[in-house]
Amino acid sequence: MTQSSIMPGFRPALAFTLGYLTLIVLIPLSSLLFTSLQLDWNEYLDIMIDRRVLAAFRISFLTSLAASVIAGLFGFVIAWVMVRYPFAGKRVLDALIDLPFALPTAVAGVVLATIYQPGGIVGKWLIDNFGLQVAYTPLGIVVALIFIGIPFVVRTIEPVLQEFDTTMEEAAACLGASRLQVFAKIILPNLFPAVLTGVSLAFARGIGEYGSVIFIAGNLPYVSEIAPLLIVIKLEQYQYAGATSIAFSMLIVSFLLLLGLNLLQRRLRKRSGQI
Amino acid sequence: MSIRLIDISKNFGQFAALHNINLDIPAGELVALLGPSGCGKTTLLRIIAGLETPDQGRVLLKDEDITGQHASRRGIGFVFQHYALFRHMTVFDNIAFGLRVKPRRERPAETEITKKAHALLELVQLDWLADRFPDQLSGGQRQRIALARALAVAPEVLLLDEPFGALDASVRKDLRLWLRNLHQELNVTSIFVTHDQEEAMEVASQVVVLNQGRIEQQGSPDAIYDNPVNAFVSKFIGQTNILHVEQNDAAWLKSAGLVFENPQGIYAHVRPHDIDIEKMSATSASPLILKDWQHLGSSIRIELVNPQLEGSGGSLYAEMSNRRFKQLNLNRGDRVAAHIRQAHWFD
C-alpha cells in the first residue's frame, strides 16, 4: 500500500539523491574497497599493524582532535564577537574568516612553516621565550589544522547565534541570574549543538588535510608523519594495495567517529527539546 | 511596592522615545500603560526593569533610587511579549530557574524548590505540563508559564509587556479576567503594557495613556473614559464621533440636541451610546437617514447619514441595546432624528 504524502516529488528527489550519492561517493569509495580486497585478511593486518602506520594514524587522529577542539573555542569567540558587537572593519574581518576556505592549502602550509620554523618570526620568539618548537613537531600539525578548521566552526555557529532569542538572556537577568550564569545556563546549552557540528566538521577536514600540514610537520616517521602522507608515499612506491588499505581504514575510523558525533549531537538536541 | 519615575527621557539616535516622564504608581495597583505602537510604552517598562537605561531621570522603588542597578538585582518580575521561555529547559526547570540561580546562602533546598515550582504550576493551573518543553505548549499555556516563572522569585513588582498580544481573541478574554483575579489574590504592584483600550479598561485599576513619548492622562478607567483631557485620549479610548462644528451645518447639529451655548472648542466628541434615535415620518424636517447597522453582540451600532453633507462630516454612529433597537422597529432608509445627550469639546 502506498501512502500519499503532502509533499510532492518524493520519488524523483530520492532517485536524484541516490543517483548522486552512487556516482560521486559510493562508486569511488567501493573501488577503494575492491582494491584493498585484493589482499587477504592477513596481508591487510600486516600492513595495518606496521609500527609506522599505527604511529601515523595516532598522529593524524590526535592532532585533528586537539586542533578541532581548540578551533571550537577560538571559533566560538570569533563568532560571538562578529554577531554581538558592532565595530569598524567588521566586513573586512568577515571576509578574512573565509580565506582558509579559498587559499590553496599548500600556500597556507608554506606560510605557516616559514613563520613558525625556529628561525621564523613567531618560531624564534616562541623558542627564545618558552623553549617551544612548533614547526617539525606534532604541535606544528595542530597549528596548521586550527588554521584550516576555524572557518568551519565560525560559519556554523554564526547563524545560530544570530537567530538566538536575546530576550531569553533578559528574562534570565530579570530572574536574578548573573552574567556568568546567563552564559553558562542559557547561551551555552542553546549553542552547544552548533559548536559540536562545527567541531566535527573541522575534525573531519583535519583528518584528511594534506597540503597545509606537510610543510610545517617535518614529516618525521613515528613523530610527525600523518596518515595521508603515508598513503602518498606508498603510491609513489607503487604499493597500491598498501595505500588503499590505509585509506580504507581511515575511511572506516572517520565514518565511525563522525557517526558518533552526529548521534551525540542528536541526543543533546533531543534532551534540550530542540527536536 | 510603590514606583516613582522622575523626569525620565530616552532617545534612540535621533528618535526621542520618551520625554520627561513623571509617574507615581502606588503599591498594590494594577496599572495599564496604554498607547499606540511606537509611543514608548514598552521602552518605559524596560527602563523600570533595568533592561534599558534612561538618558536622563531616575527610577525609585519604594523611595530607593535603583536607576543604576543591574536588572538582576532589582527584584522586578518581567513577562515578555513573546514569553522568552528557556527552550532548552522543561516547564518545571523554567519555573525553578529563578530559585536555582540565587547565591548559595539564599538558595532554598532542592526539595523546597520542587515544592514551590509545583505550587506555582498549580496556581497557573498547568501542573500536568511540568515535563514538557516550551515548544510543545500552546500560546496561552506559554504565557501562563512565563508568568509563573516570573512569580517564582516573589518579585515586589511585576511588569508585563503586551501580555496577551500574541494570543487569539477567546484565550485573551479568559486570561484578562484570570490576571485580574490573580492580581487581587497576590496584590503585587503590577504594570502591563497594551495598545488595546478595551483590555486596559477591563483589567487595570489605573490607566496611563501615552502618546509620542509623553503621558497624556493618568487615572481610573472611569475617569479616563468619562473625562478625557484632550482629543487624543478621547479618540483613543473607545469609539467616538468627531463633529467639526464650524464645518458642519450647525443647524442640524443643533436640532440633534448638541448644546451650543458654551462650546469650549471647535470639535465636539460624542460617544455613540450618547446618541439617542427617534423614528420620524418620511416628511419630517430631520435630515438624517438610517443607512445601515451592525450587531456588536449585546448592542447594535447604527450608521446615520446626512445626505445633504458630503464626506465623513455627514455620518454619525450611534449605539443602543438590542432591546431598544427592536422597540424602535427601524429599517434601512428610515428618516430619523438624533438626540445627543453629552459631548466633550476640544480645539
Side-chain angles (χ1 to χ4, degrees), chain B residues 12-29:
Chain B
F12 292 109
Q14 294 292 314
F15 176 70
L18 296 168
H19 301 271
N20 310 95
I21 298 281
N22 285 289
L23 188 61
D24 270 317
I25 292 167
E29 293 277 347

Side-chain angles (χ1 to χ4, degrees), chain B residues 277-280 286-290 304 330 334-338:
Chain B
I277 290 177
E278 197 184 335
K279 191 168 175 173
M280 306 296 278
S286 172
L288 281 173
I289 301 287
L290 193 154
L304 307 169
L330 291 164
D334 278 356
R335 192 162 289 272
V336 293

Side-chain angles (χ1 to χ4, degrees), chain B residues 93-339:
Chain B
D93 289 337
N94 263 280
I95 292 174
F97 183 86
L99 298 170
R100 286 180 178 154
V101 295
K102 278 183 186 288
R104 199 170 294 267
R105 53 199 148 65
E106 295 169 31
R107 193 187 310 157
E110 192 61 27
T111 51
E112 192 64 29
I113 292 177
T114 308
K115 222 164 90 187
K116 198 157 180 194
H118 278 297
L120 279 161
L121 276 166
E122 266 159 38
L123 180 72
V124 298
Q125 299 148 18
L126 291 174
D127 205 23
W128 50 289
L129 289 176
D131 297 326
R132 303 278 185 88
F133 284 100
D135 285 352
Q136 299 164 323
L137 308 183
S138 74
Q141 290 168 342
R142 284 183 213 179
Q143 187 60 68
R144 282 189 278 166
I145 297 300
L147 193 58
R149 182 179 68 177
L151 291 172
V153 288
E156 317 218 34
V157 172
L158 187 61
L159 307 177
L160 305 105
D161 186 8
E162 300 259 2
F164 314 118
L167 302 172
D168 51 69
S170 66
V171 179
R172 200 183 308 178
K173 280 223 151 61
D174 289 346
L175 275 183
R176 279 184 200 165
L177 279 177
W178 180 79
L179 178 66
R180 202 185 160 105
N181 292 335
L182 189 75
H183 177 259
Q184 276 164 4
E185 209 174 299
L186 303 173
N187 207 33
V188 51
T189 312
S190 308
I191 307 175
F192 73 99
V193 153
T194 179
H195 60 261
D196 182 344
Q197 48 85 17
E198 226 177 88
E199 190 170 290
M201 307 294 265
E202 189 181 326
V203 180
S205 59
Q206 287 276 311
V207 177
V208 178
V209 183
L210 280 163
N211 185 35
Q212 296 184 339
R214 295 173 205 277
I215 294 179
E216 300 280 359
Q217 191 173 0
Q218 178 187 6
S220 68
D222 284 347
I224 287 193
Y225 191 82
D226 293 336
N227 298 303
V229 294
N230 57 33
F232 174 82
V233 176
S234 168
K235 266 188 284 188
F236 199 74
I237 305 287
Q239 289 277 328
T240 188
N241 290 290
I242 300 169
L243 306 170
H244 194 306
V245 175
E246 282 167 9
Q247 258 174 25
N248 286 319
D249 181 358
W252 80 267
L253 285 173
K254 206 171 250 175
S255 75
L258 194 62
V259 184
F260 280 116
E261 278 86 56
N262 191 20
Q264 289 137 320
I266 50 169
Y267 289 99
H269 287 212
V270 183
R271 301 271 186 222
H273 55 76
D274 283 333
I275 298 177
D276 199 20
I277 290 177
E278 197 184 335
K279 191 168 175 173
M280 306 296 278
S281 69
T283 54
S284 109
S286 172
L288 281 173
I289 301 287
L290 193 154
K291 187 185 172 201
D292 204 358
W293 69 79
Q294 294 110 33
H295 263 281
L296 303 176
S298 63
S299 61
I300 303 274
R301 183 201 289 145
I302 300 158
E303 191 181 351
L304 307 169
V305 289
N306 181 356
Q308 290 155 24
L309 292 173
E310 280 168 28
S312 61
S315 68
L316 207 59
Y317 287 95
E319 249 178 68
M320 60 177 66
S321 68
N322 270 330
R323 229 172 102 113
R324 170 105 177 112
F325 185 71
K326 283 188 185 120
Q327 277 172 2
L328 287 171
N329 190 26
L330 291 164
N331 288 303
R332 287 187 182 85
D334 278 356
R335 192 162 289 272
V336 293
H339 301 289

Side-chain angles (χ1 to χ4, degrees), chain A residues 165 167-168 170-177 179 181 185-186 189-190 270-274, chain B residues 46 51 70-72 76 78 80 84-89 97-98 101 133 135 149-150 153:
Chain A
D165 181 9
T167 58
M168 280 204 278
E170 292 178 343
C174 287
L175 289 167
R179 279 166 209 275
Q181 283 172 320
K185 289 174 185 274
I186 306 297
N190 275 290
K270 205 162 206 162
R271 215 175 52 191
S272 64
Q274 288 185 29
Chain B
R46 290 173 61 85
L51 298 172
H70 190 252
S72 62
I76 293 179
F78 200 106
F80 291 82
L85 293 176
F86 307 134
R87 55 196 300 262
H88 59 293
M89 294 183 194
F97 183 86
V101 295
F133 284 100
D135 285 352
R149 182 179 68 177
V153 288

